[in-house]
Amino acid sequence: MMAGFGTRGYPRSRGRTWQRTGPDRATLGIIGAICAVAGFFALGIVLGPVAMFCGWQSMGRKWSNDRDVPALVALILGAIDTLLALIALLGAATWGNGLL
């Protein structure tokens, strides 16, 4: 008879087994949306990528999640915010000091 090599007397938990410290996905989506909206007013070159990162992490690094509205808002507004900040920086670097 074989001894139960490597078996346990109780089944492992099938649920969430990783550590629960740190922000969860819903919180990251809300943080990303706040950063995206604040980036339109100040520090868009910094807050835009932060919003995109938070939104992408909140979506679980995939596009198939339909219920995460703050995450999608954070991702899209963060991309727009970053693009506008880059255009403003490029416009300020021209000869005519042009865009703003």
Side-chain angles (χ1 to χ4, degrees):
M1 182 172 129
M2 290 183 69
F5 182 75
T7 60
R8 298 173 186 251
Y10 56 91
R12 292 189 93 177
S13 172
R14 301 258 182 221
R16 190 172 168 180
T17 58
W18 57 87
Q19 290 183 351
R20 294 182 183 219
T21 59
D24 60 346
R25 288 185 177 175
T27 307
L28 275 175
I30 293 169
I31 290 171
I34 290 171
C35 285
V37 171
F40 282 113
F41 301 106
L43 293 175
I45 195 67
V46 176
L47 292 176
V50 169
M52 288 176 22
F53 177 77
C54 288
W56 184 247
Q57 292 296 317
S58 177
M59 291 173 70
R61 297 183 299 256
K62 59 186 175 193
W63 288 104
S64 64
N65 219 351
D66 293 335
R67 60 184 171 84
D68 290 334
V69 174
L72 190 61
V73 166
L75 190 65
I76 292 172
L77 288 181
I80 293 170
D81 192 18
T82 304
L83 184 66
L84 289 176
L86 285 175
I87 290 172
L89 284 174
L90 290 175
T94 62
W95 282 103
N97 291 334
L99 195 63
L100 299 173

